[in-house]
Amino acid sequence: MKQHFPLKNVQQEKRIYRNRVFFSIGLVTICMLLLVSRYAYLQIVSFNEFNTASDQNRIRLQPLAPARGYIYDRNGVLLADNYPVFTATLSRADVADIDDTIKRLTPILELTEEDIERFNSRIKTAKKTERVSIKLNLTETDIARFSEIKHLFPGVKIDTQMTRYYPHGELFAHVIGYVGRINDKELKSIDKDLYAGTNLIGKIGVEKSYEDLLHGVPGNESVEADAHGNVLRHLGRKDPVRGNDLYLSLDYGLQVVASEQLAGRRGAIIAMDPSTGEILALVSSPSFNPNLFVTGISTKDYSYLRDNLDQPLYNRAVQGSYPPGSTIKPMFGLGGLHYGLVDWNTAISDPGYFTLPGDSHRFRDHKKTGHGAVNLHKAQVVSCDTYFYVMSYRMGIEKMNSWMRQFGFGEKTGVDLPSESSGLYPSPEWKMRTRNSKWLRGETISVSIGQGAFTATPLQLAMATAITANQGSHVTPHVLRDTKGSKAYKPHNAPDGVIQFNGKPEDWIKMRDAMVDVVESGTGRGIRTPMFSIAGKTGTAQVKSIAQGKRYNEALLTERQLDHGLFVGFAPADKPEIAIAVIWENGRHGGSAAQLAKPVFDYWLLTRKKNPILPSSHQISGGLMTAGIKPGELPSGSGILNPDSAAIPANAAEQQNSNNVSNTARPATPAQPVERD
């Protein structure tokens, strides 16, 4: 029999259908709950986070670089100005492929390898929204080429930035220095927030010494931007704080006069106020144009400065180490009085030479026949070497070193300028440490007249002269006189100690009188004047050694083998207002160097108040803007170098001493005859 099965199981189908419906409803409910939960999380729990991210895409905080403080001389003459230039900048947030963008920009903006390397170094550490400079000081041609195709470069735009300009060019280059682009080494040490949006930093001179004062504090601006980085509207702004203005102790007119004396020569002149230590003029010749370094110096210009035998980048006033010659005899003579080895009546008989006991070697005087009977006063006036040979033999190098260091020899003066040389006042310990040999008695004799291993900078000579003028009161040379701005700073303008002197107070007066007689009737008589009294001392530093028994013969020497001429002095002698140190490389003798100091004395004491030398009106009232110079006209050159490379090499001072780099000197033609010392 056939068995019949029902065609449908209605109850089972209903059960299956019901289960499917419940499962679907549950799945939809779970999905809805998950969706609502996620929505709630995004809209409620994470609202602040995503709202901030949204604002960051739309609203950007752009740094505003502060304007650099101005630099003035003591009378308000503008020495360092600010000037706007066009700059190509890029924001990392708006550029997907930075390398490709720079590659395509290279032919348009004529970017050099140095430009690209500098940009790559800066973009790595820059904030995402910070605009980083690609090239400074764009020319009108650069701007025109970019403007035609700027739509192809989203995130790149032309900004206006402030840069530095030095209206007096070479005149103050060595003392004010210059700014240059921030390099990799500086980038690692500076506060990146403080220098956000800034491309320039002080490299040498005052610009470097007082970078913290001059730089200022950056501000910022909130802007709303579209997807291409274009600013739609400005939302808020915090203005930057401009750097402090600096007022230096330098006098424009005196700097001009001192510079004129060294025109065509190599050397340095420093003038100081002996009562305060303020530097009134600081000239190193030859000089250079600091404007070349601000936005990048061309390979051609830098090669000329670097390879020039005259070394115009070398600051002879602060870095140059020279044998001081007889200019140190007043200080050394006071040492003899301090130790009680001589008094003003102590006399010797000078045959024209000195020999150490048991030694036949003759240490010669510059006067072959000698000076006869010589006391301390006459020894200064006629610059008798033999007198100081005898004194040094009695004193010994240890006491000499201890005494002369009180005047600042062998140590840095502490001037507020970078890269100062310490010079060298030798000692037995120094020789053993550096040359692994013992000190010889004859070396003491050479040091006593500022020769041998003894070297000093013109700045050290100026400070020692100021201390002598102050009758032992020590002053520290400095160029900053005052500052105005948001940052507090109090310059030091007072004596900061007294030399320990065991002689009589009147010994200072007698030494001053001896220095006056140097100018009135001695080796410096070519600069005497009835208008005021000058206390001075000439010096001649030997460049080429002369064999025993031979005589100095200029006719047999090349120009760069001629002796250096030096002079130190202060005036008026009874109430000093100015102290001067002069070094004329290959100037032949100290009397010639004294001739260079005379116009400096005259201007400061006679002319300055009645007929001061002032710059032209456009330099006083605003430099480039009133001079009519347009953007892009500052020197830029083709190959841009790191401005740091313009600094003098670390071994330059040694090269200077060993090679006797010297002046294309022209002999002085003084009104009266001059002697070799």
Side-chain angles (χ1 to χ4, degrees):
M1 291 181 66
K2 287 185 177 180
Q3 186 176 359
H4 297 281
F5 296 96
L7 295 176
K8 282 187 171 184
N9 188 335
V10 177
Q11 294 298 323
Q12 185 180 5
E13 290 182 354
K14 287 182 179 181
R15 187 169 56 253
I16 293 173
Y17 176 77
R18 189 167 51 250
N19 290 340
R20 289 176 176 175
V21 169
F22 288 154
F23 177 79
S24 298
I25 293 173
L27 182 62
V28 170
T29 302
I30 291 172
C31 290
M32 289 297 295
L33 288 174
L34 290 175
L35 183 62
V36 170
S37 298
R38 181 61 178 169
Y39 184 78
Y41 174 78
L42 295 175
Q43 293 293 323
I44 300 174
V45 178
S46 301
F47 172 79
N48 291 333
E49 177 183 349
F50 290 102
N51 184 63
T52 301
S54 175
D55 285 342
Q56 286 179 344
N57 289 331
R58 178 178 61 90
I59 300 173
R60 300 182 180 180
L61 192 65
Q62 296 182 346
L64 299 175
R68 199 167 180 84
Y70 296 105
I71 301 177
Y72 300 91
D73 85 335
R74 65 189 298 118
N75 302 309
V77 175
L78 184 64
L79 306 182
D81 198 359
N82 293 326
Y83 178 66
V85 294
F86 291 113
T87 304
T89 63
L90 177 148
S91 174
R92 187 171 58 185
D94 302 319
V95 179
D97 190 337
I98 294 177
D99 291 338
D100 178 67
T101 299
I102 295 299
K103 182 178 180 180
R104 290 187 293 120
L105 275 175
T106 297
I108 299 169
L109 299 181
E110 296 182 346
L111 301 180
T112 66
E113 292 184 3
E114 289 80 4
D115 288 328
I116 297 172
E117 290 176 3
R118 190 177 295 110
F119 168 79
N120 288 335
S121 297
R122 193 69 188 269
I123 197 69
K124 292 177 182 178
T125 59
K127 295 180 180 179
K128 188 174 182 180
T129 59
E130 180 182 348
R131 302 203 67 84
V132 178
S133 294
I134 303 172
K135 182 178 181 180
L136 293 171
N137 194 27
L138 298 177
T139 64
E140 293 180 357
T141 302
D142 293 333
I143 297 171
R145 281 199 301 260
F146 178 77
S147 298
E148 293 177 355
I149 54 173
K150 65 179 180 179
H151 60 280
L152 300 176
F153 295 93
V156 179
K157 67 176 185 177
I158 305 298
D159 289 329
T160 301
Q161 295 186 3
M162 300 301 292
T163 191
R164 208 57 150 168
Y165 175 68
Y166 304 99
H168 308 295
E170 298 183 356
L171 186 60
F172 292 92
H174 285 108
V175 59
I176 292 180
Y178 57 80
V179 297
R181 299 194 214 187
I182 300 173
N183 59 34
D184 292 343
K185 182 180 179 180
E186 292 160 340
L187 203 57
K188 295 177 182 178
S189 61
I190 62 174
D191 184 337
K192 295 179 178 59
D193 291 332
L194 188 62
Y195 281 83
T198 300
N199 297 298
L200 304 176
I201 193 170
K203 296 292 184 178
I204 65 172
V206 170
E207 293 279 24
K208 180 176 181 179
S209 294
Y210 292 105
E211 172 66 24
D212 291 345
L213 289 177
L214 289 165
H215 177 61
V217 180
N220 55 69
E221 183 178 27
S222 299
V223 298
E224 183 177 1
D226 61 18
H228 299 289
N230 298 314
V231 175
L232 301 177
R233 60 179 177 140
H234 299 269
L235 303 177
R237 177 186 177 94
K238 179 183 177 183
D239 290 329
V241 179
R242 188 165 68 87
N244 280 29
D245 293 336
L246 303 187
Y247 292 83
L248 306 185
S249 57
L250 302 172
D251 182 272
Y252 174 85
L254 193 69
Q255 186 83 359
V256 169
V257 172
S259 181
E260 288 175 347
Q261 307 317 303
L262 287 174
R265 302 177 170 98
R266 271 180 292 273
I269 295 178
I270 294 181
M272 285 177 55
D273 182 337
S275 63
T276 64
E278 290 183 346
I279 296 177
L280 307 174
L282 188 153
V283 175
S284 175
S285 178
S287 188
F288 63 95
N289 184 359
N291 292 304
L292 294 173
F293 291 92
V294 176
T295 57
I297 185 170
S298 69
T299 302
K300 179 181 178 181
D301 288 338
Y302 178 68
S303 296
Y304 169 78
L305 294 174
R306 180 195 60 200
D307 300 333
N308 192 325
L309 186 60
D310 294 341
Q311 293 190 346
L313 296 175
Y314 190 46
N315 187 346
R316 289 164 163 81
V318 176
Q319 296 175 286
S321 294
Y322 303 89
S326 297
T327 58
I328 53 90
K329 287 178 179 176
M331 302 84 182
F332 185 47
L334 288 165
L337 297 168
H338 168 71
Y339 290 115
L341 300 175
V342 297
D343 58 29
W344 290 98
N345 295 318
T346 302
I348 66 165
S349 178
D350 172 26
Y353 61 88
F354 170 76
T355 58
L356 289 165
D359 194 333
S360 61
H361 179 87
R362 290 186 175 185
F363 294 91
R364 294 166 298 191
D365 193 283
H366 67 85
K367 185 176 181 181
K368 184 179 180 180
T369 58
H371 296 89
V374 182
N375 60 18
L376 182 56
H377 182 97
K378 183 178 178 181
Q380 299 291 345
V381 176
V382 300
S383 199
C384 175
D385 293 335
T386 307
Y387 191 94
F388 296 96
Y389 294 156
V390 174
M391 187 189 300
S392 67
Y393 174 70
R394 296 176 182 175
M395 190 181 301
I397 189 61
E398 297 287 3
K399 288 183 177 179
M400 290 166 58
N401 188 293
S402 176
W403 171 253
M404 295 299 282
R405 282 184 178 275
Q406 291 196 81
F407 287 87
F409 294 111
E411 300 175 355
K412 294 182 179 181
T413 66
V415 67
D416 50 350
L417 293 173
S419 305
E420 180 188 7
S421 172
S422 62
L424 174 64
Y425 201 95
S427 67
E429 293 77 16
W430 162 82
K431 188 177 181 185
M432 181 59 67
R433 183 178 67 254
T434 59
R435 302 182 181 178
N436 196 30
S437 59
K438 293 183 179 180
W439 186 261
L440 303 177
R441 292 187 303 167
E443 293 177 285
T444 301
I445 307 304
S446 296
V447 170
S448 71
I449 60 166
Q451 295 280 174
F454 183 9
T455 61
T457 67
L459 183 61
Q460 288 175 323
L461 290 174
M463 184 178 78
T465 305
I467 293 172
T468 305
N470 293 340
Q471 300 180 25
S473 292
H474 186 281
V475 291
T476 300
H478 58 278
V479 295
L480 181 60
R481 195 178 196 213
D482 194 11
T483 179
K484 295 181 180 179
S486 61
K487 299 179 181 179
Y489 184 88
K490 186 177 181 180
H492 181 71
N493 286 320
D496 48 16
V498 179
I499 283 182
Q500 180 61 43
F501 180 61
N502 294 330
K504 301 176 182 178
E506 56 265 29
D507 287 336
W508 295 98
I509 305 298
K510 290 181 178 180
M511 186 58 71
R512 180 200 70 190
D513 293 341
M515 294 176 70
V516 170
D517 284 346
V518 168
V519 174
E520 292 297 322
S521 59
T523 56
R525 63 183 179 275
I527 65 169
R528 63 175 179 253
T529 173
M531 305 301 295
F532 51 86
S533 60
I534 300 174
K537 186 70 190 78
T538 59
T540 301
Q542 190 172 307
V543 172
K544 183 177 175 58
S545 60
I546 304 172
Q548 184 77 20
K550 299 293 183 179
R551 294 197 63 184
Y552 180 87
N553 189 343
E554 289 185 0
L556 300 178
L557 301 177
T558 65
E559 183 181 5
R560 293 178 184 271
Q561 293 176 329
L562 298 175
D563 291 348
H564 296 326
L566 301 99
F567 174 80
V568 298
F570 55 88
D574 56 344
K575 193 176 181 181
E577 297 180 23
I578 182 172
I580 296 178
V582 178
I583 168 72
W584 178 4
E585 293 180 8
N586 307 114
R588 299 169 60 235
H589 37 63
S592 296
Q595 294 289 326
L596 306 185
K598 179 61 164 54
V600 181
F601 280 125
D602 288 345
Y603 177 80
W604 189 254
L605 298 176
L606 302 178
T607 310
R608 172 177 56 101
K609 294 181 180 179
K610 296 180 180 179
N611 188 24
I613 298 174
L614 296 173
S616 56
S617 59
H618 78 268
Q619 292 171 328
I620 296 177
S621 60
L624 281 172
M625 299 303 292
T626 53
I629 298 178
K630 300 176 181 179
E633 289 186 358
L634 287 178
S636 57
S638 55
I640 307 301
L641 296 179
N642 186 336
D644 274 358
S645 62
I648 197 72
N651 64 344
E654 288 79 1
Q655 293 174 354
Q656 168 77 7
N657 292 331
S658 62
N659 298 333
N660 290 302
V661 175
S662 54
N663 189 21
T664 309
R666 57 176 184 272
T669 54
Q672 300 186 40
V674 293
E675 300 182 17
R676 279 189 41 75
D677 206 12

